[in-house]
Amino acid sequence: MSKKVGRSFWLLWLIANVIGNMLLSSFVWEDPYDMRSRIFLNEILHGVGISIAQSLVLRDRFAKEGWWLPLTMWGWILGLAIVFFLPNLSLRSHAQNMPSLSILMIDFALIGTIVGICQWQLLKSFRAAGGWLLASPIALSLSTLGLYFGYMAKSTILASALQGAIYGAITGFTAIKVLRSPKVRK
């Protein structure tokens, strides 16, 4: 690591997650999409935006940063595919209506687990990397609170900003803890 990881890193990580979450997803909130399709497309674009934003923040701070983007995107796509295509999970069973908050939280915890495992592959050389496996699903699950309130307020900007802020705040604190921890000897 050539740059320090501290408060400025956390703030930059938070801003990157908010912008990454908001930037691309604003294109899918047109009327022709049903709610299920909007959520699915929105979350794919959130995954792409967050992956790019996080990769930019990790540049010069993490030796394996080049793999962050593809592994994070793979985790989002795999997690969304599982949640979307398994019939017992929310995005498939609620075609026109907004899924309940509890179902969204469970689904996003599943997505966060998969994303976290993919990202952990790069972080596992750090002693505190196991914390990432807990933080990722918790952060993504809790981020649905922002998403949900934004949907209820019918504001895509608010939904995306709150979701990105919650996810970024939690994972940012964890990223600092992980990246500051000593490397594991092999």
Side-chain angles (χ1 to χ4, degrees), residues 75-97:
W76 275 90
I77 291 168
L78 181 61
L80 282 166
I82 289 170
V83 168
F84 190 76
F85 292 112
L86 289 180
N88 292 333
L89 298 173
S90 73
L91 296 179
R92 182 92 167 139
S93 62
H94 300 301
Q96 295 296 327
N97 299 327

Side-chain angles (χ1 to χ4, degrees), residues 6-16 176:
R7 288 183 193 166
S8 62
F9 171 85
W10 180 83
L11 185 59
L12 189 59
W13 184 268
L14 179 68
I15 292 168
I176 290 170

